[in-house]
Amino acid sequence: MEKLNLRARFEKSGRAVFISHLDLMRTMQRALKRSRIPVWYTEGFNPHIYLNFPLALSLGVTGRSEYMDFSVTESADFETLRDSLNKKMPEGLRILDIFEPVYENKDVGFADYKIDFYSGVGSKEMLSILEKMLSEDKIEVDKRSKSKGMVKTDIKPHINIISAEPSGVALRVFVRLPAGLKMNINAGVFTEAFADYSKIKFTKICAERTKILCSDGRDFK
């Protein structure tokens, strides 16, 4: 067979959240080489392992259901591939499963996040301030545009709060944000908007991307 396109779903947590996207690609390439999987290389003067990540993850954010595309030159049992890769993975990176892709990268439309805000302000007060921010006519942030540089962007129409409630001393927010080619608002944009509006000096913000979805709301896979 010439090649079989595969998609790996993986978790990035712990110390691995501080691995940059470029270093993540290098780490995955090393793991694929060391696992002796019959991985497919690009053709040309500088052959290298083909890797593609449908949606890059921001530095410092935990990823509970991330995706990586690669190809192999021989058919193989997917569970065996997963186990072989995991033996070569560093702490904090773990392959959850491997399968043939169902959707294309261009189908990505949203991402779900769990964000915990910690500060000297009580969680109920933080919730009240968040609700006030969401009641405003606009929530404007400075967002980079490829053609215009930094521009003021109203992100309020794109914020979908699934739930927000006190969780011990933290305010826990589950939010769905646009992701992909048409519009991309990551967790950092949302947390910065809340920080700017509230004027709270957060002692810690813990963000996890829990799910990637298609533009029609189906789970990306």
Side-chain angles (χ1 to χ4, degrees):
M1 62 182 298
E2 184 177 345
K3 67 173 180 175
L4 174 65
N5 296 326
L6 298 178
R7 178 165 288 159
R9 187 171 68 93
F10 67 95
E11 183 178 71
K12 185 184 181 191
S13 61
R15 292 187 297 176
V17 303
F18 300 108
I19 298 175
S20 70
H21 185 65
L22 181 59
D23 286 337
L24 174 65
M25 291 185 69
R26 292 169 177 159
T27 300
M28 290 299 192
Q29 286 175 335
R30 285 197 298 269
L32 284 163
K33 287 180 181 178
R34 292 171 178 171
S35 64
R36 300 188 181 278
I37 287 173
V39 65
W40 182 79
Y41 283 72
T42 60
E43 300 171 348
F45 293 105
N46 184 30
H48 58 274
I49 294 175
Y50 166 77
L51 285 183
N52 183 270
F53 295 79
L55 190 63
L57 184 65
S58 299
L59 190 68
V61 177
T62 297
R64 295 301 182 191
S65 189
E66 300 299 303
Y67 296 92
M68 174 185 72
D69 293 345
F70 66 104
S71 301
V72 294
T73 57
E74 301 174 9
S75 60
D77 178 73
F78 294 161
E79 289 187 6
T80 300
L81 290 180
R82 179 199 64 195
D83 294 343
S84 298
L85 268 174
N86 278 332
K87 290 177 182 177
K88 304 301 179 180
M89 285 291 170
E91 180 184 349
L93 287 175
R94 183 168 64 96
I95 304 296
L96 302 174
D97 41 50
I98 294 176
F99 48 87
E100 293 186 55
V102 176
Y103 303 114
E104 297 181 39
N105 294 356
K106 66 180 182 180
D107 295 323
V108 172
F110 302 96
D112 284 356
Y113 294 90
K114 181 184 79 171
I115 308 173
D116 288 340
F117 295 91
Y118 296 84
S119 75
V121 177
S123 56
K124 290 183 179 179
E125 184 175 346
M126 285 192 284
L127 175 59
S128 177
I129 296 171
L130 176 64
E131 290 173 340
K132 185 178 179 182
M133 182 184 82
L134 295 171
S135 70
E136 299 286 355
D137 293 333
K138 293 182 178 181
I139 302 174
E140 289 189 328
V141 300
D142 290 321
K143 199 170 185 299
R144 186 175 297 280
S145 166
K146 290 183 179 179
S147 58
K148 300 179 181 178
M150 299 299 291
V151 295
K152 286 287 185 184
T153 305
D154 179 18
I155 64 171
K156 182 181 177 179
H158 308 292
I159 298 174
N160 179 7
I161 299 293
I162 298 169
S163 67
E165 58 187 14
S167 177
V169 297
L171 170 63
R172 175 164 292 176
V173 179
F174 287 91
V175 59
R176 179 166 295 175
L177 299 171
L181 299 176
K182 292 183 179 179
M183 168 71 75
N184 190 61
I185 299 175
N186 60 37
V189 174
F190 174 74
T191 58
E192 286 176 18
F194 185 32
D196 289 343
Y197 181 86
S198 66
K199 308 303 180 188
I200 296 173
K201 292 183 179 180
F202 295 107
T203 55
K204 184 169 65 172
I205 299 175
C206 298
E208 294 185 8
R209 187 157 72 187
T210 59
K211 187 185 294 186
I212 297 174
L213 303 103
C214 297
S215 54
D216 62 3
R218 290 178 294 181
D219 287 355
F220 182 77
K221 56 185 178 178

